[in-house]
Amino acid sequence: MHCTECGTEATEQAKFCSECGHTLNAAGSVKISTGDNSVNFGNKNRVTGNTININSNQDGSEKAYIDRTKVRPLSLAGTQLKASWLVISGLIGFFGSVASILGFIGTGYQFFFIVSMAIGAILFPIGMVLVQTKHISFPPFFNLESGSKGEIYVTKIEGSCPKCTGRLKLRSIGPKNNKTTVVRCTRNPDHMWGFDPTVLPDL
């Protein structure tokens, strides 16, 4: 314990400071002040777990920023399509065509229903992905995204490379059966970042 006036060390049993004679409180001598359990630190400091790294020298220029440069509604006959419509039409087209093929075997209509079944088999998984994740990439051409109400948009996502003067675009890399979409620089392929569509604002 220490005296609150002169700082002289005192025993827990002491009632007066041996140096200045100041009366010590019942707890010993030290007034304890409590805060609101908050921690204040500058905007360049970094918290990692329970550790605060003061004045972190992390280079902000290494962060890549991307955004939509083009957004166009996907419409059919003037009506904007929705992800749920793809799911429903895909199911109807697929199972309806299977039933029709069985009834038109050996006729000229069989090919038409086979094509309809194939289209349904494509629309259904696309619709399901858009409903669940709201984003499908077809790099380097375009992306399909669904809005807050399920509307489908054709988008293009780009950015500026923070390491050079190149442009950032979405690219698909990896083995043929396990492709991954990344953000890659058009000037230097080594400048590459993982792509997370959830960082983009909602449509």
Side-chain angles (χ1 to χ4, degrees):
M1 296 296 180
H2 294 81
C3 175
T4 57
E5 287 296 312
C6 65
T8 301
E9 185 174 358
T11 62
E12 293 183 1
Q13 294 79 17
K15 295 183 179 180
F16 300 94
C17 176
S18 60
E19 183 66 26
C20 66
H22 180 71
T23 302
L24 304 178
N25 61 23
S29 66
V30 182
K31 292 181 180 180
I32 302 174
S33 59
T34 59
D36 58 359
N37 296 322
S38 64
V39 178
N40 298 321
F41 52 93
N43 59 1
K44 290 188 178 180
N45 300 333
R46 180 163 54 90
V47 178
T48 305
N50 294 324
T51 303
I52 301 176
N53 296 321
I54 305 300
N55 298 324
S56 173
N57 292 322
Q58 185 177 10
D59 189 0
S61 65
E62 295 297 311
K63 297 179 180 179
Y65 296 93
I66 55 173
D67 202 355
R68 300 182 185 94
T69 56
K70 291 183 181 179
V71 178
R72 182 172 60 85
L74 184 62
S75 303
L76 181 64
T79 302
Q80 187 172 2
L81 300 180
K82 292 189 175 183
S84 58
W85 297 357
L86 296 186
V87 175
I88 296 171
S89 60
L91 285 173
I92 294 174
F94 180 80
F95 290 109
S97 296
V98 170
S100 300
I101 289 172
L102 297 177
F104 289 91
I105 292 178
T107 67
Y109 296 103
Q110 184 176 355
F111 175 76
F112 170 77
F113 289 115
I114 291 176
V115 173
S116 298
M117 183 176 65
I119 294 174
I122 294 173
L123 292 181
F124 175 73
I126 290 177
M128 286 298 296
V129 173
L130 287 176
V131 168
Q132 294 175 353
T133 67
K134 297 185 179 296
H135 184 99
I136 302 178
S137 293
F138 297 94
F141 307 107
F142 62 91
N143 311 283
L144 289 179
E145 297 186 68
S146 61
S148 57
K149 295 181 180 179
E151 318 95 316
I152 301 177
Y153 297 88
V154 179
T155 65
K156 191 173 183 180
I157 298 173
E158 294 182 330
S160 298
C161 181
K163 296 184 178 182
C164 67
T165 58
R167 293 290 298 170
L168 296 178
K169 295 189 177 182
L170 299 185
R171 293 290 185 264
S172 183
I173 63 172
K176 189 174 182 179
N177 58 347
N178 190 23
K179 294 286 186 180
T180 302
T181 301
V182 298
V183 179
R184 199 169 202 173
C185 178
T186 56
R187 184 178 180 185
N188 189 333
D190 290 336
H191 299 167
M192 183 171 58
W193 292 263
F195 173 59
D196 180 7
T198 61
V199 302
L200 298 169
D202 292 334
L203 288 168

